[in-house]
Amino acid sequence: VQLVESGGGLVQPGGSLRLSCVASGFTFSTYAMSWHRQGPGKEREMVAAIGSLGRVVDYAESVKGRFTISRDNRKNVVYLQMNTLDSADTGMYYCKARGPGGQRTFWGQGTQVTVSS
C-alpha cells in the first residue's frame, strides 16, 4: 500500500497550490479519502474529506470556501485545491485513506506547504 503526496511548496499569501495524492495497493474506489495537516507546534487536524464515490465532502471551518477536495477513481488520485492561502495554512499535509467500516487506514508521508512572503 502506498499513498504518495505531491504539490507542496513555498507560496506567497493569497496564492494557490494543488496537492495530489496517488494511491496504490488497495481498492481506491472503496475508500474514503481525506487531507490532514499539522502546523508548527500544532496537532494534526482534518482539512477536507471525500467519500469513496466523491458524492460527499466535508471541510474544516477554517478552509471552507478556499479549499476544494476532489478525486479521480480511474487514476487513483485525490486532490486538494487550495486558494487564498494564508500563513495559518502552513504545515505538513497528509493524505489518508479509510476503508469501509474504518477498519483499515493508511497514511502518506506528507508534503510540506509553506505560506510566506
Side-chain angles (χ1 to χ4, degrees), residues 72-110:
D72 186 337
N73 284 353
R74 298 167 301 174
K75 298 181 179 179
N76 288 5
V77 181
V78 61
Y79 303 100
L80 185 67
Q81 177 67 42
M82 306 187 295
N83 299 327
T84 320
L85 285 161
D86 180 79
S87 59
D89 298 313
T90 293
M92 186 69 78
Y93 282 70
Y94 299 90
C95 176
K96 175 185 174 182
R98 181 174 62 88
Q103 294 182 350
R104 299 182 75 190
T105 60
F106 311 119
W107 288 90
Q109 293 299 307

Side-chain angles (χ1 to χ4, degrees), residues 27-70:
T27 307
F28 181 75
S29 62
T30 67
Y31 278 63
M33 301 297 297
S34 54
W35 286 96
H36 302 248
R37 69 183 178 193
Q38 187 165 14
K42 298 180 181 179
E43 294 186 354
R44 192 175 297 190
E45 61 173 346
M46 191 277 290
V47 173
I50 188 166
S52 60
L53 299 180
R55 296 171 184 169
V56 179
V57 295
D58 190 26
Y59 297 95
E61 284 296 325
S62 59
V63 307
K64 280 183 179 178
R66 299 188 299 123
F67 290 12
T68 302
I69 188 171
S70 61

Side-chain angles (χ1 to χ4, degrees), residues 9-15 17 82 84-91 93 112-117:
L10 174 64
V11 63
Q12 292 187 341
L17 284 174
M82 306 187 295
T84 320
L85 285 161
D86 180 79
S87 59
D89 298 313
T90 293
Y93 282 70
Q112 178 68 36
V113 172
T114 303
V115 184
S116 176
S117 56

